[in-house]
Amino acid sequence: MQHNEHTANKTIDEARQGEAIMMPTNEGTSKKLYLESYGCQMNFADSEVVASILSGQGYETTQDSKEADVILLNTCSIRENAEQKVRVRLKDFKKQKNQNPELVVGVLGCMAERLKKNLLEEEKLVDIVAGPDSYRDLPNLIEEVGSGQKAVNVLLSREETYADITPVKLDKGGITSYVSITRGCDNMCSFCVVPFTRGRERSRDPQTIVRECKELFNLGYREVTLLGQNVDSYRFNLSAKGEIKDENLPTTNFAQLLEMVAQVSPDMRVRFSTSHPKDMGDDVLEVIAKYENVCSYIHLPVQSGNTAMLKRMNRGYSREWYMDRIAAIKRIIPNYCISTDIISGFCDETDEEHQDTISLMKEVEFGFAYMYKYSERPKTLAERKFEDNVPDEVKSARLEEIIALQGQHSLKQHQEQVGKTVKVLIEGPSKRSDEQLFGRDDRNSVVIFDRGDLKKGQYVMVHIKDCTSATLFGDVVEVLPPHPIQHIEL
Ligand code: 5AD
Ligand code: SF4
């Protein structure tokens, strides 16, 4: 899952950190909800589930926290600085609450799970603490606060996937959307807090995933990103629903799910995140190659280029294994783009180990990377077993080297696109000028071109004439006709 921090080329998602989000208004009600999301794409998807649950209770959203009756922050614990950002916000809201004691402030997501009652009791910053599996309980929790109590639900579940809840789309008229396919993570990478905050991995019923994608298509969305901490370990057996207990029933794996979603419509683009090198099989790559609407962009976090380090990280693969997966992508998918996550300065990292990361980057030439300094997280295997002993200056220097190299690779890959003509899904006006639009190509590069008479949601062919490491610029040479079926029967 991408947590946007140091990126060689900024993404649109990056602008979304700490974004306030709006729900459609519910006339005739007076309760106002202000919802702010931090961290990974899963949190943004979850906020739409929360919006759906609370709109059923008559909550109307506002973008102005000052007029809210309820303020909810959907939070991230992945690194220390992600938590710091939220604490600063909570202190602002605490001041607001001092002036308006009726105001209800709640923390959702990973920080809720990690800190449990601390935020309520010791720090007295909030009224509600609700972990990622307890959003159905939010109406009750809000009611409890109304009757003068503090309310906590941080129970993690082995079953909850919110499969039956249709998320309320918060970006009305949007073109791209996230769809959760799994929750939680069973991998236990030694640096990572996610298995503790999001619990055990569970897969969502494929029928509900396909249905949600069809509904999104009918609402005008033209791209879905299937989300999970490790999409390749998606496995759904009917017996998991608890209705039929028969392990011999057919199981749907990720390659099969991807194919089912690809068949929703040729005009619905499909992306997914995050792939795990230890689990990504050739079957998934073959589905990408088979369907034009499944994008050739794979986010495959490597974390480090050194096998001993990967072992300390408990990643479950070696450098050689990772390079074998890269070779498979290059062999099976024409015009691929590979992105990655890299951590600098994990416990005991030597200069040689760091140089192995640099050499792996040079071998692969990632199109894009999310790059982080190691941040020790409480309860993780690393915190218990190893010492966070790489000095901060060394972590920073290594990170700088990684960022600089990635910048060169991103630019080089974009330069290779100049002169080519690429298919772009138009997402909206470009940030810099209303006279220009932006979209993404199959490889996930942002492409900018003149507006003309074009509209978001259309597919166009763009001849690329210029680039930076972050963006491609070009001229539209063809507007592609929409597929004849623009409404799908559910
Ligand atoms: N410190 C730094 N980066 C981390 N990540 C996960 N945990 C940590 C941590 N403790 C990074 C990994 C992961 C991405 C989502 O965040 O690179 O792939
Ligand atoms: Fe964390 Fe590893 Fe799971 Fe990703 S795969 S969420 S890094 S434990």
Side-chain angles (χ1 to χ4, degrees):
M1 194 85 12
Q2 284 140 280
H3 289 257
N4 306 309
E5 206 131 289
H6 297 283
T7 51
N9 31 9
K10 286 198 170 80
T11 64
I12 299 302
D13 292 339
E14 201 165 5
R16 300 183 60 176
Q17 288 266 1
E19 188 176 279
I21 43 189
M22 293 288 288
M23 289 196 302
T25 50
N26 242 323
E27 276 175 38
T29 56
S30 56
K31 292 181 285 184
K32 289 213 159 58
L33 169 69
Y34 176 82
L35 195 47
E36 207 168 90
S37 294
Y38 292 82
C40 68
Q41 296 141 328
M42 187 72 87
N43 265 4
F44 283 82
D46 277 2
S47 289
E48 298 188 335
V49 168
V50 169
S52 176
I53 291 166
L54 289 178
S55 74
Q57 304 288 311
Y59 277 89
E60 188 182 296
T61 52
T62 170
Q63 272 195 316
D64 181 3
S65 59
K66 298 269 179 317
E67 62 169 33
D69 300 293
V70 175
I71 293 178
L72 297 176
L73 268 70
N74 200 350
T75 62
C76 170
S77 288
I78 197 107
R79 282 167 294 275
E80 166 104 37
N81 56 5
E83 291 196 352
Q84 286 312 338
K85 260 190 230 163
V86 170
R87 281 177 193 282
V88 169
R89 282 304 270 163
L90 286 174
K91 285 182 185 140
D92 289 342
F93 295 136
K94 178 81 184 163
K95 281 186 211 143
Q96 190 177 331
K97 192 172 162 66
N98 288 341
Q99 283 159 9
N100 169 18
E102 301 284 288
L103 175 68
V104 175
V105 179
V107 165
L108 314 178
C110 289
M111 270 176 88
E113 199 59 55
R114 198 181 83 68
L115 298 166
K116 304 204 161 81
K117 290 185 175 174
N118 287 24
L119 290 165
L120 288 181
E121 289 171 0
E122 286 160 34
E123 305 179 42
K124 297 200 173 15
L125 282 172
V126 297
D127 308 295
I128 293 178
V129 172
D133 290 342
S134 60
Y135 299 149
R136 286 182 204 268
D137 199 24
L138 274 171
N140 300 329
L141 297 175
I142 294 174
E143 210 174 286
E144 272 178 45
V145 174
S147 61
Q149 301 157 46
K150 299 277 179 187
V152 190
N153 185 342
V154 286
L155 288 178
L156 286 172
S157 157
R158 277 178 177 257
E159 283 97 36
E160 182 63 274
T161 57
Y162 301 111
D164 56 310
I165 295 183
T166 304
V168 167
K169 299 319 291 176
L170 298 159
D171 56 340
K172 263 196 166 170
I175 298 299
T176 65
S177 180
Y178 299 124
V179 174
S180 305
I181 65 164
T182 66
R183 295 183 74 80
C185 185
D186 283 351
N187 287 322
M188 288 297 203
C189 299
S190 61
F191 50 78
C192 187
V193 78
V194 167
F196 304 95
T197 59
R198 289 192 164 264
R200 299 304 297 270
E201 181 185 285
R202 56 231 108 111
S203 296
R204 178 177 168 189
D205 183 338
Q207 299 304 335
T208 69
I209 296 169
V210 170
R211 189 186 166 94
E212 189 175 325
C213 294
K214 289 181 177 167
E215 286 171 349
L216 286 167
F217 186 85
N218 290 345
L219 285 171
Y221 288 83
R222 289 295 175 267
E223 182 181 296
V224 286
T225 302
L226 306 178
L227 289 183
Q229 306 297 340
N230 172 359
V231 290
D232 301 294
S233 61
Y234 176 88
R235 263 188 103 68
F236 187 87
N237 183 287
L238 267 182
S239 66
K241 278 169 97 174
E243 290 160 11
I244 315 162
K245 291 278 175 217
D246 177 1
E247 288 300 330
N248 296 321
L249 282 168
T251 297
T252 309
N253 67 17
F254 181 59
Q256 291 160 332
L257 175 73
L258 192 57
E259 186 149 23
M260 287 161 75
V261 176
Q263 288 169 354
V264 164
S265 165
D267 273 2
M268 185 66 128
R269 261 191 178 170
V270 188
R271 299 188 189 275
F272 53 88
S273 188
T274 299
S275 303
H276 198 303
K278 81 178 165 61
D279 297 318
M280 191 189 67
D282 289 1
D283 54 349
V284 172
L285 304 178
E286 275 147 17
V287 175
I288 300 173
K290 179 170 166 193
Y291 289 89
E292 199 258 349
N293 58 327
V294 180
C295 293
S296 316
Y297 168 72
I298 298 185
H299 183 61
L300 196 67
V302 66
Q303 317 295 0
S304 163
N306 176 275
T307 297
M309 173 60 99
L310 289 167
K311 202 164 173 57
R312 291 206 289 289
M313 289 177 160
N314 200 29
R315 288 288 289 174
Y317 56 87
S318 61
R319 178 186 174 115
E320 289 66 36
W321 176 277
Y322 187 86
M323 290 309 299
D324 171 77
R325 296 294 74 215
I326 296 294
I329 295 172
K330 294 184 176 176
R331 186 173 66 241
I332 299 171
I333 305 175
N335 200 30
Y336 61 85
C337 177
I338 306 165
S339 67
T340 201
D341 291 347
I342 297 174
I343 299 178
S344 85
F346 184 65
C347 311
D348 295 332
E349 187 183 58
T350 62
D351 265 332
E352 290 71 36
E353 288 172 338
H354 164 65
Q355 285 308 320
D356 281 346
T357 298
I358 297 288
S359 75
L360 181 133
M361 290 174 75
K362 288 181 179 163
E363 265 183 64
V364 180
E365 288 202 2
F366 295 107
F368 189 88
Y370 298 86
M371 298 156 284
Y372 312 101
K373 259 200 289 194
Y374 172 57
S375 160
E376 185 177 81
R377 306 311 289 133
K379 274 207 198 165
T380 54
L381 281 172
E383 191 238 9
R384 286 180 279 140
K385 272 175 54 183
F386 307 124
E387 209 184 319
D388 180 12
N389 55 3
V390 177
D392 195 57
E393 317 81 77
V394 177
K395 284 183 186 172
S396 297
R398 289 178 184 165
L399 182 63
E400 287 307 315
E401 191 182 348
I402 289 168
I403 291 172
L405 181 61
Q406 183 52 44
Q408 290 171 22
H409 290 165
S410 296
L411 180 62
K412 184 171 168 222
Q413 293 222 348
H414 273 177
Q415 282 165 342
E416 284 165 11
Q417 299 299 306
V418 174
K420 291 188 184 164
T421 298
V422 297
K423 182 175 172 181
V424 174
L425 170 62
I426 306 178
E427 293 184 32
S430 102
K431 264 197 221 155
R432 299 235 172 94
S433 154
D434 270 356
E435 291 312 303
Q436 294 195 304
L437 297 174
F438 89 96
R440 280 165 202 268
D441 67 3
D442 198 32
R443 303 173 72 255
N444 208 33
S445 293
V446 172
V447 184
I448 298 201
F449 45 90
D450 285 344
R451 170 187 284 273
D453 294 329
L454 300 164
K455 291 192 190 66
K456 65 181 181 179
Q458 284 180 315
Y459 285 98
V460 285
M461 299 304 292
V462 181
H463 182 74
I464 304 301
K465 53 180 192 190
D466 200 2
C467 73
T468 65
S469 63
T471 314
L472 299 174
F473 302 91
D475 294 327
V476 174
V477 291
E478 189 186 350
V479 182
L480 298 172
H483 188 265
I485 300 170
Q486 290 291 304
H487 185 90
I488 304 169
E489 291 307 319
L490 296 176

